[in-house]
Structures are given as structure tokens and as C-alpha cells.
Amino acid sequence: MANTPQAKKRARQNEARFQINKARRSRIRTFLRKVEEAIASGDKEAATAALRAAQPELMRGVAKGVFHKNTASRKMSRLASRVKALG
């Protein structure tokens, strides 16, 4: 348990940051799930639209430090290739 005032403050900051990052991760996963569902339904237009909506959200996660840049790039690349293959 934190004893010093500084350690107590850091614990508060860590908890607040954890909640923000948790919400951001959840939001990104929702966008990715919408792309997955569109791919599963076989609707290329819906999948393309969902992918376009997911891209900036995923990159925002990278900018905010929730995901690593290469992780986001890998996810985008794999989803894009799956959407492209729907044709």
C-alpha cells in the first residue's frame, strides 16, 4: 500500500488512467467487431464502411498509447485483406 503522499497520488493517477484506457480499448474492440460481423455476413460494402470507421479509431489508440503501432498495423492489414477478398 502507498504510504507517501507522492505514492498515494500516483496510485490515484494510475487508477484514473486505467479506467480511461479500458474504455478506449473497449471502444476500439467494438469497432473491430463490427468489421468482423460485416465480413461474416458477406456484405462487402458494409465491411468496407466499417473498416473505414475502425481505422482512425485504431490509430487514435496508438497515439494515446493503448496499442503498439505494429499491433494496430497488423490488425488493419489483416482486416483489409479479408475485406478485399470478399469480392
Side-chain angles (χ1 to χ4, degrees):
M1 184 62 212
N3 289 320
T4 64
Q6 179 184 8
K8 289 177 183 175
K9 181 178 179 180
R10 288 306 300 175
R12 287 195 308 270
Q13 289 174 328
N14 288 340
E15 181 59 32
R17 183 55 43 200
F18 171 75
Q19 294 300 329
I20 292 167
N21 287 341
K22 183 177 172 186
R24 197 168 272 133
R25 243 189 328 271
S26 174
R27 181 178 160 87
I28 292 168
R29 286 185 186 133
T30 301
F31 275 90
L32 296 179
R33 194 184 70 245
K34 287 179 183 175
V35 179
E36 293 284 349
E37 289 170 355
I39 291 171
S41 72
D43 187 359
K44 186 166 185 171
E45 288 180 19
T48 306
L51 184 65
R52 277 205 201 103
Q55 280 178 328
E57 205 60 41
L58 197 54
M59 287 303 139
R60 193 170 298 120
V62 171
K64 298 294 185 179
V66 178
F67 287 113
H68 192 274
K69 184 171 65 171
N70 292 355
T71 302
S73 294
R74 183 182 67 241
K75 287 180 183 292
M76 289 311 312
S77 175
R78 288 178 181 174
L79 284 174
S81 63
R82 285 173 62 199
V83 168
K84 188 176 178 183
L86 279 178

Coordinates of all heavy atoms in Angstrom, one line a residue:
M1 N 0.8 -1.2 0.0 CA 0.0 0.0 0.0 C 0.9 1.2 0.0 O 1.9 1.3 0.6 CB -0.9 0.0 1.3 CG -1.9 1.1 1.4 SD -3.1 1.1 0.0 CE -3.4 2.8 -0.2
A2 N 0.4 2.3 -0.7 CA 1.1 3.5 -0.8 C 1.2 4.2 0.5 O 0.1 4.4 1.2 CB 0.5 4.4 -1.9
N3 N 2.3 4.7 0.9 CA 2.5 5.4 2.2 C 2.7 6.9 2.1 O 2.2 7.7 2.8 CB 3.6 4.8 3.0 CG 3.2 3.4 3.5 OD1 2.1 3.2 3.9 ND2 4.2 2.5 3.5
T4 N 3.6 7.2 1.1 CA 3.9 8.7 1.0 C 2.8 9.4 0.2 O 2.1 8.7 -0.6 CB 5.3 8.8 0.2 OG1 5.1 8.3 -1.1 CG2 6.4 8.0 1.0
P5 N 2.7 10.7 0.3 CA 1.7 11.4 -0.4 C 1.9 11.3 -2.0 O 1.0 11.1 -2.7 CB 2.0 12.9 0.0 CG 2.6 12.8 1.3 CD 3.4 11.5 1.3
Q6 N 3.2 11.2 -2.3 CA 3.5 11.1 -3.8 C 3.0 9.7 -4.3 O 2.4 9.6 -5.4 CB 5.0 11.2 -4.0 CG 5.4 11.0 -5.4 CD 6.9 11.0 -5.6 OE1 7.7 11.0 -4.6 NE2 7.4 11.0 -6.8
A7 N 3.2 8.6 -3.5 CA 2.8 7.3 -3.9 C 1.3 7.2 -3.9 O 0.7 6.6 -4.8 CB 3.4 6.3 -3.0
K8 N 0.6 7.9 -3.0 CA -0.8 7.9 -3.0 C -1.4 8.6 -4.2 O -2.3 8.1 -4.8 CB -1.3 8.6 -1.7 CG -1.1 7.8 -0.5 CD -1.6 8.5 0.8 CE -1.3 7.7 2.0 NZ -1.6 8.4 3.3
K9 N -0.8 9.7 -4.6 CA -1.2 10.4 -5.8 C -1.0 9.6 -7.0 O -1.8 9.5 -7.9 CB -0.4 11.8 -5.9 CG -0.9 12.6 -7.1 CD -0.1 13.9 -7.2 CE -0.6 14.7 -8.4 NZ 0.1 16.0 -8.5
R10 N 0.2 8.9 -7.1 CA 0.5 8.1 -8.3 C -0.6 7.0 -8.4 O -1.0 6.6 -9.5 CB 1.9 7.5 -8.2 CG 3.0 8.5 -8.4 CD 2.9 9.2 -9.7 NE 2.9 8.4 -10.9 CZ 2.7 8.8 -12.1 NH1 2.5 10.0 -12.4 NH2 2.7 7.9 -13.1
A11 N -1.0 6.4 -7.2 CA -2.0 5.3 -7.3 C -3.3 5.8 -7.8 O -4.0 5.2 -8.6 CB -2.1 4.8 -5.8
R12 N -3.7 7.1 -7.4 CA -4.9 7.7 -7.9 C -4.8 7.9 -9.4 O -5.7 7.6 -10.2 CB -5.2 9.0 -7.2 CG -5.7 8.9 -5.8 CD -6.3 10.2 -5.3 NE -5.4 11.4 -5.5 CZ -4.5 11.8 -4.7 NH1 -4.3 11.2 -3.5 NH2 -3.8 12.9 -4.9
Q13 N -3.7 8.4 -9.8 CA -3.5 8.7 -11.3 C -3.5 7.4 -12.1 O -4.1 7.4 -13.2 CB -2.1 9.4 -11.5 CG -2.1 10.9 -11.0 CD -0.8 11.5 -11.1 OE1 0.2 10.9 -11.0 NE2 -0.8 12.8 -11.4
N14 N -2.8 6.4 -11.6 CA -2.8 5.1 -12.3 C -4.2 4.5 -12.5 O -4.6 4.0 -13.5 CB -1.9 4.1 -11.5 CG -0.5 4.4 -11.7 OD1 -0.1 5.1 -12.6 ND2 0.3 3.9 -10.8
E15 N -5.0 4.6 -11.4 CA -6.4 4.1 -11.5 C -7.2 4.9 -12.5 O -8.0 4.3 -13.3 CB -7.1 4.2 -10.1 CG -8.5 3.6 -10.1 CD -8.6 2.2 -10.5 OE1 -7.6 1.4 -10.3 OE2 -9.6 1.8 -11.1
A16 N -7.1 6.2 -12.5 CA -7.8 7.0 -13.5 C -7.4 6.7 -14.9 O -8.2 6.6 -15.8 CB -7.6 8.5 -13.2
R17 N -6.1 6.6 -15.1 CA -5.6 6.3 -16.4 C -6.0 4.9 -16.9 O -6.4 4.7 -18.0 CB -4.0 6.4 -16.4 CG -3.3 6.2 -17.6 CD -3.7 7.1 -18.8 NE -3.9 8.5 -18.5 CZ -4.5 9.3 -19.2 NH1 -5.1 8.9 -20.3 NH2 -4.7 10.6 -18.9
F18 N -6.1 4.0 -15.9 CA -6.5 2.6 -16.3 C -8.0 2.6 -16.8 O -8.3 1.9 -17.7 CB -6.4 1.7 -15.0 CG -7.0 0.4 -15.2 CD1 -6.4 -0.6 -16.0 CD2 -8.2 0.1 -14.5 CE1 -7.0 -1.9 -16.1 CE2 -8.8 -1.2 -14.7 CZ -8.2 -2.1 -15.5
Q19 N -8.8 3.4 -16.1 CA -10.2 3.5 -16.5 C -10.4 4.1 -17.9 O -11.2 3.6 -18.7 CB -11.0 4.3 -15.5 CG -11.1 3.6 -14.1 CD -11.8 2.3 -14.2 OE1 -12.7 2.0 -15.0 NE2 -11.4 1.4 -13.2
I20 N -9.6 5.1 -18.2 CA -9.7 5.8 -19.5 C -9.2 4.8 -20.6 O -9.8 4.7 -21.6 CB -8.8 7.0 -19.5 CG1 -9.5 8.1 -18.6 CG2 -8.6 7.6 -20.9 CD1 -8.6 9.3 -18.2
N21 N -8.1 4.1 -20.3 CA -7.5 3.2 -21.3 C -8.5 2.0 -21.5 O -8.6 1.5 -22.6 CB -6.1 2.7 -20.9 CG -5.1 3.8 -21.1 OD1 -5.3 4.7 -21.8 ND2 -4.0 3.6 -20.4
K22 N -9.1 1.6 -20.4 CA -10.0 0.4 -20.5 C -11.2 0.8 -21.4 O -11.6 0.0 -22.3 CB -10.5 0.1 -19.1 CG -11.4 -1.1 -19.0 CD -11.8 -1.4 -17.6 CE -12.9 -2.4 -17.4 NZ -13.3 -2.6 -16.0
A23 N -11.7 2.0 -21.3 CA -12.8 2.4 -22.1 C -12.4 2.6 -23.5 O -13.1 2.2 -24.5 CB -13.4 3.8 -21.6
R24 N -11.2 3.1 -23.8 CA -10.7 3.3 -25.1 C -10.5 2.0 -25.8 O -10.9 1.8 -27.0 CB -9.4 4.1 -25.1 CG -9.0 4.7 -26.4 CD -7.9 5.7 -26.2 NE -8.4 7.0 -25.9 CZ -8.0 7.8 -24.9 NH1 -7.0 7.4 -24.1 NH2 -8.5 9.0 -24.7
R25 N -9.9 1.0 -25.1 CA -9.7 -0.4 -25.6 C -11.1 -1.0 -26.0 O -11.2 -1.6 -27.1 CB -9.0 -1.2 -24.6 CG -7.6 -1.7 -25.1 CD -7.0 -2.8 -24.1 NE -7.4 -2.7 -22.7 CZ -6.7 -2.0 -21.8 NH1 -5.7 -1.3 -22.2 NH2 -7.1 -1.9 -20.6
S26 N -12.0 -0.8 -25.1 CA -13.4 -1.4 -25.4 C -14.0 -0.8 -26.6 O -14.6 -1.5 -27.5 CB -14.2 -1.2 -24.2 OG -15.5 -1.6 -24.4
R27 N -13.9 0.5 -26.8 CA -14.4 1.2 -27.9 C -13.8 0.7 -29.2 O -14.5 0.4 -30.2 CB -14.2 2.7 -27.7 CG -14.7 3.6 -28.9 CD -14.5 5.0 -28.5 NE -14.5 5.9 -29.7 CZ -15.7 6.4 -30.2 NH1 -16.8 6.2 -29.5 NH2 -15.7 7.1 -31.2
I28 N -12.5 0.5 -29.2 CA -11.7 0.1 -30.4 C -12.2 -1.4 -30.7 O -12.4 -1.7 -31.9 CB -10.2 0.1 -30.2 CG1 -9.8 1.6 -30.1 CG2 -9.5 -0.6 -31.3 CD1 -8.4 1.8 -29.6
R29 N -12.3 -2.2 -29.7 CA -12.7 -3.6 -30.0 C -14.1 -3.6 -30.6 O -14.4 -4.5 -31.4 CB -12.7 -4.4 -28.7 CG -11.3 -4.7 -28.2 CD -11.3 -5.6 -27.0 NE -9.9 -5.8 -26.5 CZ -9.6 -5.7 -25.2 NH1 -10.5 -5.4 -24.3 NH2 -8.3 -5.9 -24.8
T30 N -15.0 -2.7 -30.2 CA -16.3 -2.7 -30.7 C -16.3 -2.4 -32.2 O -17.0 -3.0 -33.0 CB -17.2 -1.6 -30.0 OG1 -17.2 -1.9 -28.6 CG2 -18.6 -1.5 -30.5
F31 N -15.4 -1.4 -32.6 CA -15.3 -1.0 -34.0 C -14.7 -2.3 -34.8 O -15.2 -2.5 -35.9 CB -14.3 0.1 -34.2 CG -15.0 1.5 -34.0 CD1 -15.1 2.1 -32.8 CD2 -15.6 2.1 -35.1 CE1 -15.8 3.3 -32.7 CE2 -16.2 3.3 -35.0 CZ -16.3 4.0 -33.8
L32 N -13.8 -2.9 -34.2 CA -13.2 -4.1 -34.9 C -14.2 -5.2 -35.0 O -14.3 -5.9 -36.0 CB -11.9 -4.6 -34.1 CG -10.8 -3.6 -34.1 CD1 -9.6 -4.2 -33.3 CD2 -10.3 -3.2 -35.5
R33 N -15.0 -5.4 -34.0 CA -16.1 -6.4 -34.0 C -17.1 -6.1 -35.1 O -17.6 -7.1 -35.8 CB -16.8 -6.5 -32.6 CG -17.6 -7.8 -32.5 CD -18.4 -7.9 -31.2 NE -19.4 -6.9 -31.2 CZ -19.5 -5.9 -30.4 NH1 -18.6 -5.7 -29.5 NH2 -20.5 -5.0 -30.4
K34 N -17.4 -4.9 -35.3 CA -18.4 -4.5 -36.4 C -17.8 -4.9 -37.7 O -18.6 -5.3 -38.6 CB -18.7 -3.0 -36.3 CG -19.6 -2.6 -35.1 CD -19.8 -1.2 -35.1 CE -20.7 -0.8 -33.9 NZ -20.8 0.6 -33.7
V35 N -16.5 -4.7 -37.9 CA -15.9 -5.1 -39.2 C -16.0 -6.6 -39.3 O -16.3 -7.2 -40.4 CB -14.4 -4.7 -39.3 CG1 -13.8 -5.1 -40.6 CG2 -14.3 -3.2 -39.1
E36 N -15.7 -7.4 -38.3 CA -15.7 -8.8 -38.3 C -17.1 -9.3 -38.6 O -17.3 -10.2 -39.4 CB -15.3 -9.4 -36.9 CG -13.9 -9.2 -36.5 CD -12.9 -10.1 -37.2 OE1 -13.4 -11.1 -37.9 OE2 -11.7 -9.9 -37.1
E37 N -18.1 -8.7 -38.0 CA -19.5 -9.1 -38.3 C -19.9 -8.8 -39.7 O -20.6 -9.6 -40.4 CB -20.5 -8.4 -37.3 CG -20.3 -8.9 -35.9 CD -21.1 -8.0 -34.9 OE1 -21.7 -7.0 -35.3 OE2 -21.1 -8.4 -33.7
A38 N -19.5 -7.7 -40.3 CA -19.8 -7.4 -41.7 C -19.1 -8.4 -42.6 O -19.7 -8.8 -43.6 CB -19.3 -5.9 -42.0
I39 N -17.9 -8.8 -42.3 CA -17.1 -9.8 -43.1 C -17.9 -11.1 -43.0 O -18.1 -11.8 -44.0 CB -15.7 -9.9 -42.6 CG1 -14.9 -8.6 -42.9 CG2 -15.0 -11.1 -43.2 CD1 -13.5 -8.6 -42.3
A40 N -18.3 -11.5 -41.8 CA -19.0 -12.7 -41.6 C -20.3 -12.8 -42.4 O -20.7 -13.8 -42.9 CB -19.3 -13.0 -40.2
S41 N -21.0 -11.6 -42.5 CA -22.3 -11.6 -43.2 C -22.1 -11.6 -44.7 O -23.0 -11.8 -45.5 CB -23.1 -10.3 -42.9 OG -22.4 -9.2 -43.4
G42 N -20.8 -11.3 -45.2 CA -20.5 -11.3 -46.6 C -20.8 -10.0 -47.4 O -20.8 -10.0 -48.6
D43 N -21.2 -9.0 -46.6 CA -21.6 -7.7 -47.2 C -20.3 -6.9 -47.4 O -19.8 -6.3 -46.4 CB -22.6 -7.0 -46.4 CG -23.1 -5.7 -47.0 OD1 -22.7 -5.4 -48.1 OD2 -24.0 -5.1 -46.4
K44 N -19.8 -6.8 -48.6 CA -18.5 -6.1 -48.9 C -18.7 -4.6 -48.6 O -17.8 -4.0 -48.0 CB -18.0 -6.3 -50.3 CG -16.7 -5.7 -50.5 CD -16.0 -6.2 -51.8 CE -14.6 -5.6 -51.9 NZ -13.8 -6.2 -52.9
E45 N -19.8 -3.9 -49.0 CA -20.0 -2.5 -48.8 C -20.0 -2.2 -47.3 O -19.4 -1.2 -46.8 CB -21.2 -2.0 -49.4 CG -21.1 -2.0 -50.9 CD -22.4 -1.5 -51.6 OE1 -23.2 -0.9 -50.9 OE2 -22.6 -1.8 -52.8
A46 N -20.7 -3.0 -46.5 CA -20.8 -2.7 -45.1 C -19.5 -3.0 -44.4 O -19.1 -2.2 -43.5 CB -21.9 -3.7 -44.4
A47 N -18.7 -4.0 -44.9 CA -17.4 -4.3 -44.3 C -16.4 -3.2 -44.6 O -15.6 -2.7 -43.8 CB -16.9 -5.6 -44.9
T48 N -16.5 -2.6 -45.8 CA -15.6 -1.5 -46.2 C -15.9 -0.3 -45.4 O -15.0 0.4 -44.9 CB -15.8 -1.2 -47.7 OG1 -15.6 -2.4 -48.5 CG2 -14.8 -0.1 -48.2
A49 N -17.2 0.0 -45.2 CA -17.6 1.2 -44.4 C -17.2 1.0 -42.9 O -16.6 1.9 -42.3 CB -19.1 1.4 -44.4
A50 N -17.3 -0.2 -42.4 CA -16.9 -0.5 -41.0 C -15.4 -0.4 -40.9 O -14.9 0.1 -39.9 CB -17.4 -1.9 -40.6
L51 N -14.7 -0.8 -41.9 CA -13.2 -0.8 -41.9 C -12.8 0.7 -41.9 O -11.9 1.1 -41.1 CB -12.6 -1.5 -43.0 CG -11.1 -1.6 -43.1 CD1 -10.6 -2.4 -41.9 CD2 -10.7 -2.2 -44.4
R52 N -13.4 1.5 -42.7 CA -13.1 2.9 -42.8 C -13.3 3.6 -41.4 O -12.6 4.6 -41.1 CB -13.9 3.6 -43.8 CG -13.3 3.5 -45.2 CD -13.7 4.6 -46.1 NE -13.5 4.2 -47.5 CZ -14.5 3.8 -48.3 NH1 -15.7 3.8 -47.9 NH2 -14.2 3.4 -49.5
A53 N -14.4 3.2 -40.7 CA -14.7 3.8 -39.4 C -13.7 3.3 -38.4 O -13.4 4.0 -37.4 CB -16.1 3.4 -39.0
A54 N -13.2 2.1 -38.5 CA -12.3 1.5 -37.5 C -10.9 2.0 -37.6 O -10.2 2.1 -36.6 CB -12.3 0.0 -37.6
Q55 N -10.4 2.3 -38.8 CA -9.1 2.8 -39.0 C -8.7 3.9 -38.1 O -7.7 3.9 -37.4 CB -8.8 3.1 -40.5 CG -8.5 1.8 -41.3 CD -8.3 2.1 -42.7 OE1 -8.9 3.0 -43.3 NE2 -7.5 1.3 -43.4
P56 N -9.4 5.1 -38.2 CA -8.9 6.2 -37.3 C -9.1 5.9 -35.8 O -8.2 6.4 -35.0 CB -9.9 7.3 -37.7 CG -11.0 6.7 -38.5 CD -10.5 5.4 -39.0
E57 N -10.0 5.1 -35.5 CA -10.2 4.7 -34.1 C -9.0 3.9 -33.6 O -8.5 4.2 -32.5 CB -11.5 3.9 -33.9 CG -12.1 4.0 -32.6 CD -12.5 5.4 -32.1 OE1 -13.0 6.1 -32.9 OE2 -12.2 5.7 -31.0
L58 N -8.5 3.0 -34.4 CA -7.4 2.2 -34.0 C -6.1 3.0 -34.0 O -5.3 2.9 -33.0 CB -7.2 1.1 -35.0 CG -6.3 -0.1 -34.7 CD1 -6.8 -0.7 -33.4 CD2 -6.4 -1.2 -35.8
M59 N -5.9 3.9 -34.9 CA -4.8 4.8 -34.9 C -4.8 5.8 -33.7 O -3.8 6.2 -33.2 CB -4.7 5.6 -36.2 CG -4.2 4.7 -37.4 SD -2.7 3.9 -37.0 CE -2.9 2.3 -37.6
R60 N -6.0 6.2 -33.3 CA -6.1 7.0 -32.1 C -5.6 6.3 -30.9 O -5.0 6.8 -30.0 CB -7.6 7.5 -32.0 CG -7.7 8.6 -31.0 CD -9.1 9.2 -31.0 NE -9.4 9.8 -32.3 CZ -10.4 9.5 -33.1 NH1 -11.2 8.5 -32.7 NH2 -10.6 10.0 -34.3
G61 N -5.9 5.0 -30.8 CA -5.5 4.1 -29.8 C -4.0 4.1 -29.7 O -3.4 4.1 -28.6
V62 N -3.3 4.1 -30.9 CA -1.9 4.1 -31.0 C -1.3 5.4 -30.4 O -0.4 5.4 -29.6 CB -1.4 3.9 -32.4 CG1 0.1 4.1 -32.5 CG2 -1.8 2.5 -32.9
A63 N -1.9 6.5 -30.9 CA -1.5 7.8 -30.5 C -1.6 8.0 -29.0 O -0.8 8.7 -28.3 CB -2.3 8.9 -31.2
K64 N -2.7 7.4 -28.4 CA -2.9 7.5 -26.9 C -2.1 6.5 -26.1 O -2.2 6.5 -24.9 CB -4.4 7.4 -26.6 CG -5.2 8.4 -27.3 CD -5.0 9.8 -26.7 CE -5.9 10.8 -27.3 NZ -5.7 12.2 -26.7
G65 N -1.4 5.6 -26.8 CA -0.6 4.6 -26.1 C -1.3 3.4 -25.6 O -0.8 2.7 -24.7
V66 N -2.5 3.1 -26.2 CA -3.2 1.9 -25.8 C -2.7 0.7 -26.5 O -2.6 -0.4 -25.9 CB -4.7 2.1 -26.0 CG1 -5.5 0.9 -25.6 CG2 -5.2 3.3 -25.2
F67 N -2.4 0.9 -27.8 CA -1.9 -0.2 -28.6 C -0.5 0.2 -29.2 O -0.2 1.4 -29.4 CB -2.8 -0.5 -29.8 CG -4.1 -1.2 -29.4 CD1 -5.3 -0.5 -29.6 CD2 -4.1 -2.5 -29.0 CE1 -6.5 -1.2 -29.2 CE2 -5.2 -3.1 -28.7 CZ -6.4 -2.5 -28.8
H68 N 0.3 -0.8 -29.5 CA 1.6 -0.6 -30.2 C 1.3 -0.3 -31.6 O 0.3 -0.9 -32.2 CB 2.5 -1.8 -30.0 CG 3.9 -1.5 -30.4 ND1 4.3 -1.7 -31.7 CD2 5.0 -1.1 -29.7 CE1 5.6 -1.3 -31.8 NE2 6.0 -1.0 -30.6
K69 N 2.1 0.5 -32.3 CA 1.9 0.8 -33.7 C 1.8 -0.4 -34.6 O 1.0 -0.5 -35.4 CB 3.0 1.8 -34.1 CG 2.8 2.3 -35.5 CD 3.8 3.4 -35.9 CE 5.2 2.9 -35.8 NZ 6.2 3.9 -36.4
N70 N 2.8 -1.3 -34.3 CA 2.8 -2.5 -35.2 C 1.6 -3.4 -35.0 O 1.1 -4.1 -35.9 CB 4.1 -3.3 -34.9 CG 5.3 -2.6 -35.4 OD1 5.2 -1.5 -36.0 ND2 6.5 -3.1 -35.1
T71 N 1.1 -3.5 -33.8 CA -0.1 -4.2 -33.5 C -1.3 -3.7 -34.3 O -2.1 -4.4 -34.9 CB -0.5 -4.2 -32.0 OG1 0.7 -4.7 -31.2 CG2 -1.7 -5.0 -31.7
A72 N -1.5 -2.4 -34.2 CA -2.6 -1.7 -35.0 C -2.4 -2.0 -36.5 O -3.4 -2.3 -37.2 CB -2.6 -0.3 -34.6
S73 N -1.2 -1.8 -37.0 CA -0.9 -2.0 -38.4 C -1.2 -3.4 -38.8 O -1.8 -3.7 -39.9 CB 0.5 -1.7 -38.7 OG 0.8 -0.3 -38.5
R74 N -0.9 -4.4 -38.0 CA -1.1 -5.8 -38.3 C -2.6 -6.1 -38.3 O -3.1 -6.7 -39.3 CB -0.5 -6.7 -37.2 CG -0.6 -8.2 -37.5 CD 0.0 -9.0 -36.4 NE -0.7 -8.9 -35.1 CZ -0.2 -8.4 -34.0 NH1 1.1 -8.0 -34.0 NH2 -0.9 -8.3 -32.9
K75 N -3.4 -5.5 -37.3 CA -4.8 -5.7 -37.3 C -5.5 -5.1 -38.6 O -6.3 -5.7 -39.2 CB -5.4 -5.1 -36.1 CG -5.1 -5.9 -34.8 CD -5.7 -5.2 -33.6 CE -5.4 -6.0 -32.3 NZ -6.0 -7.3 -32.2
M76 N -5.1 -3.9 -38.9 CA -5.6 -3.2 -40.1 C -5.3 -4.0 -41.3 O -6.2 -4.1 -42.2 CB -5.1 -1.8 -40.2 CG -5.6 -0.8 -39.1 SD -7.4 -0.8 -38.9 CE -8.0 -0.7 -40.5
S77 N -4.1 -4.4 -41.5 CA -3.7 -5.2 -42.7 C -4.5 -6.4 -42.9 O -5.0 -6.7 -43.9 CB -2.2 -5.5 -42.6 OG -1.8 -6.2 -43.7
R78 N -4.6 -7.2 -41.8 CA -5.4 -8.5 -41.9 C -6.8 -8.2 -42.2 O -7.4 -9.0 -43.0 CB -5.2 -9.2 -40.6 CG -3.8 -9.8 -40.5 CD -3.6 -10.5 -39.2 NE -2.2 -11.0 -39.1 CZ -1.7 -11.6 -38.0 NH1 -2.4 -11.8 -37.0 NH2 -0.4 -12.0 -38.0
L79 N -7.4 -7.2 -41.5 CA -8.9 -6.9 -41.8 C -9.0 -6.5 -43.2 O -10.0 -6.9 -43.9 CB -9.4 -5.9 -40.8 CG -9.7 -6.3 -39.4 CD1 -10.0 -5.2 -38.5 CD2 -10.8 -7.4 -39.4
A80 N -8.1 -5.6 -43.7 CA -8.2 -5.1 -45.1 C -8.1 -6.2 -46.1 O -8.9 -6.2 -47.1 CB -7.2 -4.0 -45.3
S81 N -7.2 -7.1 -45.9 CA -7.1 -8.2 -46.8 C -8.3 -9.1 -46.8 O -8.7 -9.6 -47.9 CB -5.8 -9.0 -46.6 OG -5.9 -9.6 -45.3
R82 N -8.9 -9.3 -45.7 CA -10.2 -10.1 -45.6 C -11.3 -9.4 -46.3 O -12.2 -10.0 -46.9 CB -10.5 -10.4 -44.1 CG -9.5 -11.5 -43.6 CD -9.8 -11.7 -42.1 NE -11.1 -12.2 -41.8 CZ -11.7 -12.1 -40.6 NH1 -11.0 -11.5 -39.6 NH2 -12.9 -12.5 -40.4
V83 N -11.4 -8.1 -46.1 CA -12.5 -7.3 -46.8 C -12.3 -7.3 -48.3 O -13.2 -7.5 -49.0 CB -12.5 -5.8 -46.3 CG1 -13.4 -5.0 -47.1 CG2 -13.0 -5.8 -44.8
K84 N -11.0 -7.2 -48.7 CA -10.7 -7.2 -50.1 C -11.1 -8.6 -50.8 O -11.5 -8.6 -51.9 CB -9.2 -6.9 -50.3 CG -8.8 -6.7 -51.8 CD -7.4 -6.4 -51.9 CE -7.0 -6.3 -53.3 NZ -5.5 -6.0 -53.5
A85 N -10.9 -9.6 -50.0 CA -11.2 -11.0 -50.5 C -12.7 -11.3 -50.6 O -13.1 -12.3 -51.3 CB -10.5 -12.0 -49.6
L86 N -13.5 -10.4 -50.1 CA -15.0 -10.7 -50.1 C -15.5 -10.6 -51.5 O -16.5 -11.2 -51.9 CB -15.7 -9.6 -49.3 CG -15.8 -9.9 -47.8 CD1 -16.5 -8.8 -47.1 CD2 -16.5 -11.2 -47.5
G87 N -14.9 -9.8 -52.4 CA -15.4 -9.5 -53.8 C -15.8 -10.8 -54.5 O -16.9 -11.0 -54.9

